[in-house]
């Protein structure tokens, strides 16, 4: 892991590009507020099924997404509201999807774990741990074979690294030199299983490097570090440097899903990590550097809350897919050709 | 004693681990988390991490390790959190667990029990709602169980562990919270025979697992309209209890088969084919099926409900079957 | 032109790669080795290593990569050497290929073709003799093909590649060496309809893939003893061609279904159940099945032959079915 | 890889333990001659199905087996005639099995790819590449849980290392510190796929080490090196040192199976490796050191040929399992208890 910046270095960095820092702050807040609302709506039974929130980990999606081009592709997991939102899927369509409404990005068929969006090349939303990795390899293969300089960013948790599909995907990507950015969100737990009970090799970047994939560990609570490492890695991947792997060291502040009594970790550990809240941290730094004042913050939160309110309103007023359409989209509606 | 399906399963595991030192439980989050569906809650504290082993996310690896441990003299209970993830372990189940005894000419039996949650109905969408027990029921060398009652939740596991060969237990996710009375001395039950859960004369409704409560509710409604349904709980999906199936058909001469698999290639197809083969001349109407619609299970509640079997669909299938009998009678 | 099933498959792949730049072939040993069953022999030399890609032993990985490549605009043909190894890729096939279009509300279709060898009969024993196409035929979102003739070996692939959704092609290993005449201009064929391979009046024998030659041979023998069998080749196992199945039953009023899967949960069960559901009153005898015995396929030749369907077993099932008709007639 | 011994060092080693060297030579020859006969019998259609011979690789099985105890366990692949034989399965029972006879070690149900033997704890014979590795992990787990100091040796080809099941097995064994000796037979090809087209990381011992498993590469054409490395590794595993991994660098002299036209490798490469024939090499060294004379060699070959002849004779005179027993051994014959 690159050594963390000193407070002075960070202040200098923020001062050099205050707009970017404020924008990253705003993006993280969009995810946070959207998901806080999701949790409420789950308790109100508006959202059902499984709901996995990303609260605490927002710096990862915010930093990586800001490094991608619109024509790049993204593959994510069941913990993907933030990825979808920051990739550009409208909050309205995301929220309506979780309500199971026809206006949702998947017409209500996918739900929280299966957000998809063709416009932004957002390929899900996969509820099988590690199941998205081979897809990312294939998307990158298609780009490679068609001579396009696009990158596929693939997100997964550290728990996924024990799966055979992880292994096969890393090997294929490396062997064929494919433009995949593997983004491991190491939040230290896979449900209730701590990293050291899941991986004999807990240095995940080292593990990935054993596939001859260029790998780094990054402070995933620091959105600036995430952005910088992702930007460099994306450039390298795009310019033919083969697959890259970034381990983002992060933490989820909430339970694994809405059904998790959290018997497997100490409150103190959670609190320790919450002190490193990526949103509070960056906000504090911007304020300390005089780059964000009370009005600035109020304006950001106002905008974000308005977006979330609008999304909920949109979802609330959504409609149900007609029952007659139950069997639609099992097969493509073929052209008459 | 008042209990739940979940508690009955847990009691069965506790009992098994107390009875036999060789029994241990292994799977994702069975220990510290308490089980994905809280079935194993408290067992880690009681039996320790050697016998309640949290595994990494490695379905093929730990199911295969269960097979190996069984070969090595242990009596593993392997929990695959849900049938959806068991797709990752099918090579081990089908190519190893099911074949080793036979390939070795009878030398190596595999006394393994694999438990997994199956089924839909909780808005978990297409990748988390499979009902693939019918697939496994196709494989020689395996025994497939589907407990649907508190007695079976409590009693099937020990009998399965005494089986020298691999047994898979499919627990429908909608059953865990089912509560009811269970005898204080409830214990092991047979795993060879289907059960008549409701006696009736007009039509046999044959089902198992998660759809049993729905079928029993349908039978109640049907009785209000004068149709007396007999309800058969298959309990063991492989080998099927042909005697019980044929006995009920011989009695009612009409059958509706209900399961949550997609209709094409459902376990209900097998039951229907067997009835046709062995009791064709007993039938007063074609065997009907109520299965899932042929769509990946959708998230939205109304779509999911429309995709899965329901009380209403069971009732109307039974009505149609009974109705057709009269049509035939009229025509004969 | 004189050709073989293997050459016809190869011609189909060559044709597809010539027609469409987006088509490529990927799988274990498809390139330098020439294919596990020599189907792709010579294609590497003709199309180069970009379009004929040898993969590592990673069935889940490269099948999943095929799905991703299809999403990315390619038209991959993924060869899984045999169905036995496809167990390792079922998560990708069932949880991704079959569901993505639906889960995404119609946004992401997967124009992927997966080819694999299926079946037994070559003394390859329990881990190398599965016939699991019936399993896949259970999954909504997939189309399942089983070519049994030279025309279909030559013609199904291109039609499958034009399908916007995932198609799996099961090639029975015993067919590759089948030789015969194929029209010089043979090309794409439909993949929607079953075919009548032999017209007949007394009994319908319904089958597909590797057992078609056996069924045709049985029909020949039966005709010598005065039983005129109609032979139906299902061709497409999902979706089944109900019209063709019901048409033949309406004609002969008796059916025998033949496939190489184990009897319990066989595809034949589905065909039987459908006939019962839709043509019960047409039937003059119960639908019979000829499937594999419920044992892992043994190595020894005599045991393997006894385990798999055979001409003799088809003949006796057909005879019994025709015989029973008379019994019923006598009884009516 | 430990540096190869000098000719002098080897001569000294052989001279120190001539009996052991001659015994290893004899064991390798048993495999060679048995398999040469199998190939003939395949051509004569006495053996059917797939047949994969080990010719050229005998040093690996000979060296490893000699390091195991009778109560240890062995898991192998479809290329396992040699492993079965050297583990102690009678040649008669092996040959009868390939004939599909009731006198075979699996009563004719398994064939060449599925030899099993309870007496010698030989757990197959697995025709699914990498399919045996999880079994080995489980066998070792059983020993661990029951407090037995037994070792499970698991053989597999380098091609298996790309499979997810390899990955999951190595991780589990390392995580749980299980007594498995992983024996990778790196013969450079998986059917027609060369190592560098199958693994992004071609240093296989390095790859295994990334699981925190103690790993070494060994000259697999040198039976003394194999024996020594295996003995040390088995000792370490047995005494609680956790899983070990040995990469044996070897080569198959024959085709992958009886159906392989060998289009993927050069004759010259095969010839180069055949110069390192483990049997010819050791024989030459023994002769050069005066530890084996013409009589000694003749006596070895005579014994070996007699064993193989007897095996073929036994197989030829075998019987067919009655058809009535087709469905036996699908389920155990339960005691009445
Ligand atoms: C193949 C598979 N096995 C098990 C599960 C159940 N499950 C869902 S999330 C999860 C933990 C995944 O942990 P990780 O990959 O670290 O991601 P995180 O949830 O921490 O973001 C498990 C075990 C699953 N969805 N898929
Ligand atoms: C899972 C699986 N995929 C494919 C095959 C077909 N196959 C049999 S052997 C083999 C090559 C294995 O190579 P390696 O592991 O290096 O062992 P070797 O044959 O060289 O001893 C392949 C691809 C198989 N048996 N199992
Ligand atoms: Mg995690
Ligand atoms: Mg090899």
């Amino acid at each position: 892991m690159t050594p963390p910046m000193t407070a002075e270095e960070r202040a200098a960095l923020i001062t050099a590009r205050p707009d970017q820092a404020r924008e990253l702050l705003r993006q993280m807040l969009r995810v946070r507020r959207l998901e806080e609302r999701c949790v409420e709506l789950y308790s109100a039974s508006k959202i059902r099924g499984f709901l996995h929130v990303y609260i605490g980990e927002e710096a990862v999606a915010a930093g990586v997404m800001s490094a991608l081009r619109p024509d790049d592709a993204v593959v994510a997991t069941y913990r993907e509201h933030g990825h979808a939102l920051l990739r550009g899927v409208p909050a309205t369509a995301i929220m309506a999807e979780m309500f199971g409404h026809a206006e949702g990005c998947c017409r209500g068929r996918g739900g929280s774990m299966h957000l998809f969006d063709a416009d932004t090349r957002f390929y899900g939303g996969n509820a099988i741990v590690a199941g998205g990795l081979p897809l990312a390899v294939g998307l990158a293969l298609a780009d490679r074979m068609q001579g396009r300089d696009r990158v596929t960013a693939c997100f997964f948790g550290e728990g996924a690294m024990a799966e055979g599909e992880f292994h096969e995907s890393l090997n294929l990507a490396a062997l064929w030199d494919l433009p995949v950015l593997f983004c491991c969100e190491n939040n230290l737990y896979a449900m209730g299983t701590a990293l050291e009970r899941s991986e004999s090799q807990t240095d995940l970047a080292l593990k990935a490097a054993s596939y001859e994939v260029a790998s780094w560990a990054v402070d995933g609570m620091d959105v600036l570090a995430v952005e910088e490492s992702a930007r460099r890695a994306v450039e390298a991947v795009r310019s033919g440097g083969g697959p890259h792997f970034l381990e983002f060291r992060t933490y989820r502040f909430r339970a694994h899903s809405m059904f998790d009594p959290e018997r497997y970790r100490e409150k103190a550990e959670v609190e320790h990590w919450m002190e490193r809240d990526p949103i509070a941290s960056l906000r504090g730094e911007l304020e300390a550097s005089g780059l964000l004042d009370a009005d600035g913050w109020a304006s950001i939160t106002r905008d974000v809350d308005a977006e979330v309110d609008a999304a909920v309103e949109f979802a609330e007023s959504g409609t149900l897919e007609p029952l007659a359409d139950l069997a639609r989209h099992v097969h493509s509606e073929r052209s008459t050709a | 004693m008042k209990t739940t399906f979940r508690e009955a399963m847990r009691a069965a595991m506790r009992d098994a681990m107390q009875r036999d030192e060789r029994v241990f439980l292994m799977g994702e989050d069975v220990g510290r988390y308490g089980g994905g569906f809280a079935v194993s809650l408290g067992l880690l504290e009681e039996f320790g991490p050697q016998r309640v082993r949290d595994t990494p996310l490695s379905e093929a690896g730990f199911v295969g390790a269960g097979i190996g441990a069984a070969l090595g003299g242990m009596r593993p209970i392997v929990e695959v959190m849900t049938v959806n993830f068991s797709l990752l372990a099918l090579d081990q189940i089908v190519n190893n667990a099911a074949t080793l005894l036979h390939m070795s000419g009878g030398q190596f039996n595999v006394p393994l029990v694999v438990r997994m949650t199956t089924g839909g109905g909780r808005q978990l969408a297409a990748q988390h709602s499979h009902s693939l027990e019918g697939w496994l029921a196709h494989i020689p060398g395996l025994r497939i169980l589907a407990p649907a009652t508190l007695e079976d939740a409590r009693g099937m596991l020990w009998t399965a562990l005494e089986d020298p060969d691999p047994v898979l237990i499919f627990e429908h996710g909608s059953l865990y919270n089912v509560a009811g009375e269970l005898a204080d001395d409830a214990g092991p039950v047979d795993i060879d025979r289907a059960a008549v859960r409701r006696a009736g004369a007009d039509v046999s409704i044959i089902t198992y697992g998660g759809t049993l409560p729905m079928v029993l509710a349908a039978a109640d409604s049907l009785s209000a309209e004068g149709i007396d349904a007999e309800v058969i709980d298959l309990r063991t999906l492989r080998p099927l209890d042909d005697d019980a199936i044929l006995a009920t058909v011989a009695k009612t001469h009409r059958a509706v088969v209900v399961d949550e698999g997609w209709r094409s290639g459902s376990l209900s197809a097998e039951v229907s084919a067997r009835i046709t083969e062995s009791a064709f001349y007993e039938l007063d109407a074609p065997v009907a099926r109520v299965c899932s619609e042929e769509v990946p299970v959708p998230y939205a509640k109304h779509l999911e409900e429309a995709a899965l079997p329901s009380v209403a669909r069971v009732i109307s299938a039974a009505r149609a079957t009974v109705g057709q009998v009269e049509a035939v009678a009229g025509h004969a």
Side-chain angles (χ1 to χ4, degrees), chain A, chain B:
Chain A
M1 190 156 110
T2 29
M5 290 179 262
T6 63
E8 292 73 41
E9 287 169 334
R10 296 186 57 83
L13 189 72
I14 293 174
T15 317
R17 292 192 285 171
D19 288 347
Q20 190 203 30
R22 277 187 299 254
E23 177 58 13
L24 288 169
L25 179 66
R26 196 178 73 82
Q27 296 296 358
M28 292 193 291
L29 195 69
R30 290 176 69 213
V31 178
R32 175 73 54 94
R33 293 284 166 101
L34 184 85
E35 290 207 315
E36 284 171 345
R37 196 68 75 86
C38 288
V39 172
E40 287 170 27
L41 291 162
Y42 196 91
S43 303
S45 293
K46 297 282 186 173
I47 298 175
R48 302 312 302 162
F50 284 159
L51 183 77
H52 308 85
V53 297
Y54 194 57
I55 292 173
E57 308 184 36
E58 297 91 340
V60 179
V64 175
M65 294 302 170
S66 75
L68 296 177
R69 271 189 348 209
D71 64 342
D72 290 335
V74 175
V75 176
T77 71
Y78 47 85
R79 195 183 298 288
E80 89 289 26
H81 314 138
H83 307 79
L85 184 71
L86 300 191
R87 180 59 188 166
V89 186
T92 46
I94 293 173
M95 196 56 89
E97 184 59 31
M98 296 204 226
F99 275 60
H101 285 163
E103 293 74 14
C105 55
C106 304
R107 309 195 63 80
R109 285 176 171 77
S112 159
M113 301 198 288
H114 302 292
L115 304 173
F116 288 86
D117 185 55
D119 289 346
T120 57
R121 302 198 71 224
F122 189 74
Y123 289 94
N126 202 306
I128 304 298
V129 172
L133 279 89
L135 302 189
V137 170
L139 284 160
L141 175 62
D143 285 333
R144 189 71 199 272
M145 291 185 74
Q146 303 197 355
R148 297 179 298 230
D149 71 339
R150 307 195 302 201
V151 171
T152 298
C154 179
F155 294 85
F156 50 91
E158 88 295 339
M161 289 183 62
E163 289 281 4
E165 294 192 353
F166 167 85
H167 173 74
E168 298 184 5
S169 298
L170 268 272
N171 187 42
L172 272 179
L175 204 55
W176 293 350
D177 218 29
L178 300 178
V180 185
L181 178 62
F182 291 102
C183 300
C184 175
E185 303 180 318
N186 177 8
N187 61 10
L188 297 176
Y189 293 90
M191 287 186 60
T193 303
L195 175 61
E196 65 271 18
R197 282 192 296 272
S198 135
E199 286 289 335
S200 60
Q201 172 58 267
T202 54
D203 184 336
L204 302 177
L206 193 71
K207 177 107 205 179
S210 79
Y211 295 87
E212 299 278 289
V213 169
S215 305
W216 283 272
V218 180
D219 181 353
M221 303 308 268
D222 175 353
V223 70
L224 299 176
V226 172
E227 190 278 338
E228 162 137 344
S229 63
R231 187 163 27 80
R232 289 192 190 177
V234 166
E235 268 165 34
V237 172
R238 196 182 309 288
S239 55
H244 279 55
F245 175 99
L246 295 176
E247 174 200 348
F248 296 110
R249 297 191 177 163
T250 182
Y251 201 80
R252 69 171 151 70
F253 293 170
R254 302 290 180 97
H256 167 73
S257 73
M258 302 303 290
F259 297 111
D260 167 12
E262 289 188 79
R263 304 166 66 254
Y264 49 83
R265 59 183 191 181
E266 301 293 331
K267 265 233 152 62
E269 181 185 284
V270 182
E271 277 158 17
H272 167 77
W273 279 91
M274 286 179 83
E275 283 164 24
R276 301 214 48 226
D277 184 330
I279 297 176
S281 302
L282 183 58
R283 179 185 169 196
E285 286 175 304
L286 281 165
E287 288 174 350
S289 313
L291 297 168
L292 184 73
D293 58 14
D295 276 0
W297 174 249
S299 134
I300 291 177
T301 54
R302 201 169 41 240
D303 285 3
V304 167
D305 288 342
E307 183 187 17
V308 173
D309 287 343
V312 176
E313 210 167 297
F314 178 84
E316 292 275 9
S317 65
T319 61
L320 294 180
E321 187 84 337
L323 275 184
D325 285 354
L326 173 63
R328 272 187 74 187
H329 309 310
V330 179
H331 291 285
S332 297
E333 278 143 33
R334 291 210 223 185
S335 67
T336 42
Chain B
M1 120 190 95
K2 190 114 188 116
T3 190
T4 64
F5 191 94
R6 174 183 290 107
E7 287 162 3
M9 289 290 329
R10 187 184 306 140
M13 289 202 282
R14 181 181 297 118
D15 178 32
M17 289 204 269
Q18 283 166 348
R19 276 176 193 251
D20 188 339
E21 275 292 323
R22 299 169 305 171
V23 174
F24 70 102
L25 172 66
M26 139 166 99
E28 289 160 13
D29 286 309
V30 295
R32 284 159 190 85
Y33 194 92
F37 296 85
V39 175
S40 53
L41 200 70
L43 297 183
L44 171 67
E45 291 71 15
E46 188 169 345
F47 297 98
Q50 283 294 314
R51 295 183 70 197
V52 180
R53 303 184 85 91
D54 282 326
T55 65
L57 277 146
S58 303
E59 285 79 3
F62 68 75
V63 171
I67 299 169
L71 289 170
M74 301 298 287
R75 291 290 177 278
I77 304 171
V78 176
E79 176 175 311
V80 178
M81 200 181 283
T82 78
V83 67
N84 312 285
F85 319 142
S86 79
L87 291 173
L88 293 160
L90 284 181
D91 168 53
Q92 288 298 323
I93 295 172
V94 174
N95 281 325
N96 285 337
T99 61
L100 283 167
L101 179 68
H102 187 259
M103 294 195 304
S104 69
Q107 294 179 83
F108 289 118
N109 63 303
V110 179
L112 167 74
V113 172
V114 180
R115 294 177 40 240
M116 57 184 109
T117 304
T118 188
R122 288 162 303 136
Q123 287 194 253
L124 302 183
Q127 293 181 334
H128 269 57
S129 304
H130 296 309
S131 291
L132 291 174
E133 54 277 7
W135 268 21
L136 279 307
H138 180 53
I139 306 298
L142 303 179
R143 177 186 284 270
I144 311 296
L145 307 182
T149 63
L150 297 179
E151 286 72 20
D152 282 350
R154 177 65 184 82
M156 280 181 160
L157 181 72
W158 178 252
T159 322
L161 282 164
E162 283 190 305
D163 193 311
D165 302 318
V167 179
L168 275 58
I169 304 183
F170 288 88
E171 303 160 17
H172 196 288
S174 68
L175 294 174
Y176 288 126
N177 291 330
V178 168
E181 272 302 318
L182 182 66
D184 286 337
D185 64 348
V189 298
D190 91 280
I191 54 174
D192 291 317
R193 298 272 146 238
V196 179
R197 296 293 181 203
R198 182 188 195 284
D202 297 337
V203 56
S204 301
I205 315 186
I206 301 170
T207 191
Y208 66 86
T211 40
L212 178 64
M214 164 191 312
V215 166
L216 288 169
D220 278 350
S221 294
L222 286 164
S223 103
E225 56 185 87
I227 296 177
D228 185 23
E230 175 145 308
V231 177
I232 305 294
D233 174 4
L234 290 169
R235 301 181 68 244
T236 297
L237 310 185
R238 182 179 187 93
L240 284 169
D241 181 355
D242 283 326
D243 293 345
I245 295 170
L246 300 180
T248 189
V249 172
K251 181 177 175 195
T252 67
H253 309 288
R254 285 142 286 176
V256 176
V257 197
V258 181
D259 82 272
E260 209 181 287
W262 292 294
R263 177 168 164 275
S264 294
S266 55
L267 192 90
S268 293
E270 177 61 29
V271 175
S272 169
R274 288 191 184 206
I275 294 173
T276 297
E277 280 160 6
S278 306
F280 184 69
Y281 301 105
E282 294 284 357
L283 286 173
D284 285 339
V287 181
R289 287 186 286 169
V290 177
C291 301
S292 285
E293 297 296 325
E294 313 258 0
V295 298
V297 179
Y299 163 71
K301 189 178 174 63
H302 67 300
L303 294 177
E304 186 186 39
E305 280 175 359
L308 302 181
S310 62
V311 173
R313 287 173 60 206
V314 174
I315 290 174
S316 72
R319 264 192 215 132
T321 299
V322 172
Q324 268 187 312
V325 176
E326 274 135 36
V328 183
H331 149 102

